[in-house]
Amino acid sequence: MRFRATSLAALAAIPLALSACGAAPAPEPAPAPPKAAGPEGVEWAGRLCGLVNDFSASQKNLPAVDKSNTQAMKNSVVARLDTASKTADDTVRGLQELPPSPIEGGDQVNQGIRDGFVQIRDVLVGARAKADQVDPNDKQKFTEGMTALQTELQKSSQVDLNSKFGALEKNQQLAGAAKQAPGCKPFFNPAPAQPAPGQPAPAQPGQPQ
């Protein structure tokens, strides 16, 4: 089973290149299976997953946007960005405060994921600055300001979190520890997609189509 983060695509497998000519090389002995992670490694992986899970959960509970008038909309957007940027910063600080990984390579994985969240936080902070500049008293300027804000938020699509989590999967011992950690279960067993209104629910494994 691949390590999967919600909304992140699984990494594509890279096939081995085979020699087109010449004598076939002697087969290399199969590598020894990675040493199973101890309880300290499982706990560390669980804390790492927990920080990411907390951020994902917080994004589902951001303040609603009030569209009753332009001033109310600006205020609610600012509140939404304040909350999102704070939770992103909390995630960065939490990852910084993780103790050294008891699993070799874990600190590098943590660093990569942390770098991704620093980028997300910086995008949100930049968007918050754009929101401050929105003029709710002029319809044209309000529209222009909101467009600039949306453009700023689109920079988040440039953050490659997929490769950050892929580094965890490639570390077999760390991935094994994550599979044992309760805090990582949402990554391996994401919630099923909800059907659109009026559409039947998708069939679950083992159920007739």
Side-chain angles (χ1 to χ4, degrees), residues 178-197:
K179 290 178 181 178
Q180 298 178 59
C184 294
K185 288 186 182 298
F187 289 91
F188 293 101
N189 301 293
Q194 297 299 314

Side-chain angles (χ1 to χ4, degrees), residues 85-155:
S85 59
K86 180 182 183 303
T87 55
D89 189 59
D90 288 344
T91 303
V92 171
R93 288 190 292 104
L95 292 169
Q96 288 175 334
E97 293 168 1
L98 273 181
S101 171
I103 298 173
E104 184 175 356
D107 291 331
Q108 288 77 13
V109 170
N110 178 18
Q111 179 68 57
I113 295 174
R114 187 162 76 241
D115 288 347
F117 276 101
V118 167
Q119 291 177 274
I120 291 173
R121 179 193 62 191
D122 290 349
V123 168
L124 292 168
V125 170
R128 174 63 169 80
K130 294 289 185 185
D132 272 340
Q133 299 171 16
V134 172
D135 183 355
N137 300 312
D138 183 298
K139 184 176 181 180
Q140 181 177 346
K141 290 182 179 179
F142 179 80
T143 301
E144 291 172 352
M146 283 298 177
T147 299
L149 171 59
Q150 291 174 343
T151 300
E152 189 71 22
L153 286 172
Q154 286 172 359
K155 293 179 181 179

Side-chain angles (χ1 to χ4, degrees), residues 6 18 25 32 40 51 81 116 144 159 179 193 198-199:
T6 304
L18 301 178
E40 297 86 357
L51 288 164
L81 288 169
E144 291 172 352
V159 181
K179 290 178 181 178
Q199 297 296 320

